[in-house]
Amino acid sequence: MQECTQECPQECPQECPQEAFRAQRSRLVGLLGAGSQEGFEQVLDRLLAHDVLSWEDYEGLRGPGQPLSHAARRLLDTVGSKGAWGCEQLLAAVREAQADGRAPEPRGRWDPRAPQPARELRCHRPALVRRLHGHVEGALDLAQARGLVSPYECDEIRLPIFTAAQRARRLLDLAAVKANGLAAFLLQHAEALPAPLALSVEDAACQKFTAKLRSTVSAQARFLSSYDGAESLCLEDVYTETALELGAEAGGPGAATLGLEALFSAGASRNADADTVLVVGEAGSGKTTLLQRLHLLWASGRAFREFLLVFPFSCRQLQRLAGPLSVRALLFEHCCWPDLGRQAVFQFLLAHPHRVLLTFDGFDEFPHRFTDEAAAERHCSPTDPTSVQSLLFNLLQGNLLKDARKLLTSRPDAVSAALRRHLRAELLLRGFSEDGIERYLRKRHREPGVADRLVRLLRAASALHGLCHRPVFAWMVSKCHRELLLQAGGSPRTTTDMYLLILQHFLLRAGPPDAAPHGPGPGLLRARLPALLHLGRLALRGLGASCYVFSAAQLQAAGVDGADVSLGFLVPAKSSVAPAGPPPLEFLHITFQCFFAAFYLVLGADVRPSWLRHLFNGRPPTGSSLLARLLPALCVRGPPGEEEEEEEGEEEEEGGVEAWLRRAEPHNLQMTAAFLAGLLSGEHRGLLAACQASQKALLRRRACARRCLARSLRRHFCAIPPALPGEAKSVHALPGFLWLVRSLHELREERLARRAARGLDVGHLKLTFCGVGPAECAALAFVLRHLRRPVALQLDHNAVGDVGVEQLLPCLAVCKAL
Ligand SMILES: Nc1ncnc2c1ncn2[C@@H]1O[C@H](COP(=O)(O)OP(=O)(O)OP(=O)(O)O)[C@@H](O)[C@H]1O
């Protein structure tokens, strides 16, 4: 049962217990349904002991597989029909269960020689469950040796899916129906067992482990790994609240904005019986930082006190774990090692799963997709090893550590319908609000006047302002604040502009090589071209292998040497366990990895222009659904093999650029495609031409990217079904559409935008729930302003905001409704 997140139900002196009970029904359902299975079962124990529930009632209520909230409602119905005394008992039982592990052993002692042992077992059930907790193994061995239980019955009780308390209950249940002396044996055996400590966590090993875990987590979370290694910012100093919303489907049309502390108490909006809460957000929207904040608040005891143990993991880290692994090994060997009483700590953890939280950051970086087939591979034993994939999927489904909360973060595209079925709640991270951007800049720049000037600059440059709603861009603005404040020409307008600015910032800071100029510009890039291409090749190869952390051997294979690393784009990978050798490296952020991959595709000598089609490929996967056909392959890929077959006969370097492009995750390809378009845009032609020996090669790549982008858009538009008679032609655009439009905007080619608009022959463009922010508004306006016929643009359930509306101004003339 959750600790103190809701008020304990109180008896009201004026009301009769039944009325009070009825008045509190919804609160009681919430309390029982949102709590843990263990809390619910404790309530049942007490009601059974006090004869409020008959044995039949009890059997019916604890039936497996039903969501806790259903069981809670049925319990209230059953008890409600038993009169005032029953209601009183239920309220008392709920209060007692809320005290949970903090309560001393229930009062009252059983008589080991009671004439009716089965009756005695039932009357003292709560106390017996506590006493037998953790001792069921021994009791079973003895009972089997005396012929009181069969090996089959023992195996049934020992199933690893049961917690220690559930095993004790199952043993008592068995004794209740066996008239062979098992009940009398248990009464005597339990009498001889040591009384449990009033608070099991007071066990020295558990206490020591909790303290160690808190200090480990705190050390990991205290500093914001602010990328370049040159600065380490205290999270406390810069953390700025981001907008977190409960999915609209939970609470009707409007989405509620939540504080971080309400993450778990917001209630189950999807499946009340599930353990996993998902936070989705685009790249750079602040998911990792949000988790870091949660970890720090917990470690310092300021929030999330309902959890005694919090284990942070990143999927990037998990995918590097080779070989089978058990839950125990995962928690202890890959997060925090108990120096004392490993078994006791693990038992505690299994017995109190509702006091445990596991966080998994970056599910989009986990190479295995959560499909129904993958989820069907069941693994329920916390001590037996299995593959990392099966471990993670079974944890998320609750087959492992049932009732322990799991918090998962992901980019939206990696979340499958199969995963959604196992979610308790889904929340959307929007990034910074408008005030948030300003607060962040003021926290970052405390020197007089700087933050004011930056805020003024953003207000004047709405495209840049729009980008800053993503915290990663706000970080870049703050990093390049000198260049931005000094810049005489316009400020960055697109994502690529911003990444080129920060690229030059890093190159200048690293100190130019002898031949390089001392300021930004083509000369600076040319002087560093070999290093940038090494990094680009590493980035692209990584995307192709869903690899985001690089070993020394991988760096060497891509030709990355110490000097290249010293530029600052690669940083030591975060890991909770210190590696034996030199730490593996990762890009500052996944967006940087995509940017470098795009850089390589534009300037790499071994890249054929025709390969760029894989970035914008509009070919629908064979035999796909209508949905998949409407989506360009940019967002839905066919099963591996299909594309290979189609491409058969084409020359391809095994493991070379084309193979990497084919294998990369769609969401990374989308980002890379947008950067590629931006790098090939007219605005940056001069900069890149200075690096490129052959102008012709650059032009051919641009022509190919243009062609593929136009073809994908055409396909997308052709797939729009015709209008129904008498209705306007309507289309609900899918995220793939937005990425194509974003790429077009990065390419900044008016002619192509005009042609795209001509193809979009609809009266109603629906973009609800598409993750449209101000940056997407700018891209939409870039295309839609060329429409010849007015369109009704529906943008509900996005985070457009005032800055987004400002971005839409150029196309408002053709929007008949917004
Ligand atoms: N709440 C915040 N307060 C201050 N800075 C933040 C906040 N959130 C994010 N940032 C800054 O933005 C950067 C990127 O954020 P973060 O890595 O958390 O995004 P993400 O959503 O996890 O990205 P990805 O999905 O690509 O891994 C952080 O390193 C940090 O500098």
PDB file of all heavy atoms in Angstrom, residues 57-69:
ATOM      1  N   ASP A  57     -15.556 -16.048   0.338  1.00  0.00           N
ATOM      2  CA  ASP A  57     -15.339 -14.640  -0.050  1.00  0.00           C
ATOM      3  C   ASP A  57     -13.869 -14.445  -0.387  1.00  0.00           C
ATOM      4  O   ASP A  57     -13.499 -13.840  -1.387  1.00  0.00           O
ATOM      5  CB  ASP A  57     -15.661 -13.665   1.103  1.00  0.00           C
ATOM      6  CG  ASP A  57     -17.126 -13.638   1.466  1.00  0.00           C
ATOM      7  OD1 ASP A  57     -17.942 -13.923   0.584  1.00  0.00           O
ATOM      8  OD2 ASP A  57     -17.429 -13.340   2.647  1.00  0.00           O
ATOM      9  N   TYR A  58     -13.043 -14.955   0.523  1.00  0.00           N
ATOM     10  CA  TYR A  58     -11.597 -14.756   0.390  1.00  0.00           C
ATOM     11  C   TYR A  58     -11.076 -15.358  -0.914  1.00  0.00           C
ATOM     12  O   TYR A  58     -10.349 -14.713  -1.669  1.00  0.00           O
ATOM     13  CB  TYR A  58     -10.903 -15.383   1.597  1.00  0.00           C
ATOM     14  CG  TYR A  58      -9.404 -15.375   1.525  1.00  0.00           C
ATOM     15  CD1 TYR A  58      -8.695 -14.187   1.699  1.00  0.00           C
ATOM     16  CD2 TYR A  58      -8.694 -16.556   1.293  1.00  0.00           C
ATOM     17  CE1 TYR A  58      -7.310 -14.184   1.624  1.00  0.00           C
ATOM     18  CE2 TYR A  58      -7.315 -16.551   1.219  1.00  0.00           C
ATOM     19  CZ  TYR A  58      -6.628 -15.363   1.384  1.00  0.00           C
ATOM     20  OH  TYR A  58      -5.263 -15.348   1.289  1.00  0.00           O
ATOM     21  N   GLU A  59     -11.474 -16.584  -1.188  1.00  0.00           N
ATOM     22  CA  GLU A  59     -11.024 -17.264  -2.417  1.00  0.00           C
ATOM     23  C   GLU A  59     -11.398 -16.446  -3.655  1.00  0.00           C
ATOM     24  O   GLU A  59     -10.614 -16.293  -4.579  1.00  0.00           O
ATOM     25  CB  GLU A  59     -11.685 -18.643  -2.519  1.00  0.00           C
ATOM     26  CG  GLU A  59     -11.245 -19.592  -1.439  1.00  0.00           C
ATOM     27  CD  GLU A  59     -10.087 -20.451  -1.894  1.00  0.00           C
ATOM     28  OE1 GLU A  59      -8.928 -19.979  -1.779  1.00  0.00           O
ATOM     29  OE2 GLU A  59     -10.332 -21.560  -2.353  1.00  0.00           O
ATOM     30  N   GLY A  60     -12.630 -15.937  -3.633  1.00  0.00           N
ATOM     31  CA  GLY A  60     -13.123 -15.176  -4.787  1.00  0.00           C
ATOM     32  C   GLY A  60     -12.356 -13.880  -4.972  1.00  0.00           C
ATOM     33  O   GLY A  60     -12.111 -13.448  -6.092  1.00  0.00           O
ATOM     34  N   LEU A  61     -11.962 -13.273  -3.863  1.00  0.00           N
ATOM     35  CA  LEU A  61     -11.329 -11.957  -3.948  1.00  0.00           C
ATOM     36  C   LEU A  61      -9.863 -11.997  -4.359  1.00  0.00           C
ATOM     37  O   LEU A  61      -9.332 -11.040  -4.888  1.00  0.00           O
ATOM     38  CB  LEU A  61     -11.435 -11.253  -2.584  1.00  0.00           C
ATOM     39  CG  LEU A  61     -12.826 -10.702  -2.288  1.00  0.00           C
ATOM     40  CD1 LEU A  61     -12.967 -10.373  -0.825  1.00  0.00           C
ATOM     41  CD2 LEU A  61     -13.077  -9.467  -3.130  1.00  0.00           C
ATOM     42  N   ARG A  62      -9.208 -13.086  -4.020  1.00  0.00           N
ATOM     43  CA  ARG A  62      -7.786 -13.073  -4.340  1.00  0.00           C
ATOM     44  C   ARG A  62      -7.502 -13.809  -5.643  1.00  0.00           C
ATOM     45  O   ARG A  62      -6.368 -14.152  -5.929  1.00  0.00           O
ATOM     46  CB  ARG A  62      -6.937 -13.618  -3.200  1.00  0.00           C
ATOM     47  CG  ARG A  62      -7.332 -14.999  -2.788  1.00  0.00           C
ATOM     48  CD  ARG A  62      -6.249 -15.767  -2.130  1.00  0.00           C
ATOM     49  NE  ARG A  62      -6.323 -17.110  -2.672  1.00  0.00           N
ATOM     50  CZ  ARG A  62      -5.489 -18.063  -2.398  1.00  0.00           C
ATOM     51  NH1 ARG A  62      -4.487 -17.835  -1.619  1.00  0.00           N
ATOM     52  NH2 ARG A  62      -5.641 -19.248  -2.938  1.00  0.00           N
ATOM     53  N   GLY A  63      -8.571 -14.062  -6.426  1.00  0.00           N
ATOM     54  CA  GLY A  63      -8.409 -14.748  -7.714  1.00  0.00           C
ATOM     55  C   GLY A  63      -7.314 -14.078  -8.526  1.00  0.00           C
ATOM     56  O   GLY A  63      -7.260 -12.846  -8.583  1.00  0.00           O
ATOM     57  N   PRO A  64      -6.441 -14.880  -9.140  1.00  0.00           N
ATOM     58  CA  PRO A  64      -5.299 -14.284  -9.829  1.00  0.00           C
ATOM     59  C   PRO A  64      -5.718 -13.550 -11.100  1.00  0.00           C
ATOM     60  O   PRO A  64      -6.774 -13.824 -11.658  1.00  0.00           O
ATOM     61  CB  PRO A  64      -4.436 -15.505 -10.193  1.00  0.00           C
ATOM     62  CG  PRO A  64      -5.413 -16.644 -10.241  1.00  0.00           C
ATOM     63  CD  PRO A  64      -6.516 -16.325  -9.307  1.00  0.00           C
ATOM     64  N   GLY A  65      -4.904 -12.648 -11.539  1.00  0.00           N
ATOM     65  CA  GLY A  65      -5.066 -12.039 -12.858  1.00  0.00           C
ATOM     66  C   GLY A  65      -5.982 -10.837 -12.893  1.00  0.00           C
ATOM     67  O   GLY A  65      -5.971 -10.090 -13.846  1.00  0.00           O
ATOM     68  N   GLN A  66      -6.806 -10.622 -11.846  1.00  0.00           N
ATOM     69  CA  GLN A  66      -7.695  -9.463 -11.938  1.00  0.00           C
ATOM     70  C   GLN A  66      -6.964  -8.211 -11.449  1.00  0.00           C
ATOM     71  O   GLN A  66      -6.170  -8.265 -10.517  1.00  0.00           O
ATOM     72  CB  GLN A  66      -8.975  -9.695 -11.155  1.00  0.00           C
ATOM     73  CG  GLN A  66      -8.744  -9.994  -9.673  1.00  0.00           C
ATOM     74  CD  GLN A  66     -10.034 -10.148  -8.912  1.00  0.00           C
ATOM     75  OE1 GLN A  66     -11.050  -9.606  -9.291  1.00  0.00           O
ATOM     76  NE2 GLN A  66     -10.010 -10.888  -7.825  1.00  0.00           N
ATOM     77  N   PRO A  67      -7.236  -7.071 -12.109  1.00  0.00           N
ATOM     78  CA  PRO A  67      -6.582  -5.848 -11.659  1.00  0.00           C
ATOM     79  C   PRO A  67      -6.962  -5.541 -10.204  1.00  0.00           C
ATOM     80  O   PRO A  67      -8.071  -5.845  -9.779  1.00  0.00           O
ATOM     81  CB  PRO A  67      -7.138  -4.781 -12.598  1.00  0.00           C
ATOM     82  CG  PRO A  67      -7.724  -5.507 -13.740  1.00  0.00           C
ATOM     83  CD  PRO A  67      -8.099  -6.865 -13.250  1.00  0.00           C
ATOM     84  N   LEU A  68      -6.039  -4.921  -9.514  1.00  0.00           N
ATOM     85  CA  LEU A  68      -6.235  -4.640  -8.096  1.00  0.00           C
ATOM     86  C   LEU A  68      -7.467  -3.765  -7.861  1.00  0.00           C
ATOM     87  O   LEU A  68      -8.186  -3.927  -6.887  1.00  0.00           O
ATOM     88  CB  LEU A  68      -4.966  -3.946  -7.582  1.00  0.00           C
ATOM     89  CG  LEU A  68      -4.522  -4.235  -6.160  1.00  0.00           C
ATOM     90  CD1 LEU A  68      -4.572  -5.710  -5.849  1.00  0.00           C
ATOM     91  CD2 LEU A  68      -3.122  -3.674  -5.934  1.00  0.00           C
ATOM     92  N   SER A  69      -7.698  -2.829  -8.788  1.00  0.00           N
ATOM     93  CA  SER A  69      -8.833  -1.926  -8.593  1.00  0.00           C
ATOM     94  C   SER A  69     -10.159  -2.696  -8.672  1.00  0.00           C
ATOM     95  O   SER A  69     -11.096  -2.402  -7.935  1.00  0.00           O
ATOM     96  CB  SER A  69      -8.802  -0.802  -9.617  1.00  0.00           C
ATOM     97  OG  SER A  69      -8.690  -1.350 -10.895  1.00  0.00           O
TER      98      SER A  69
END
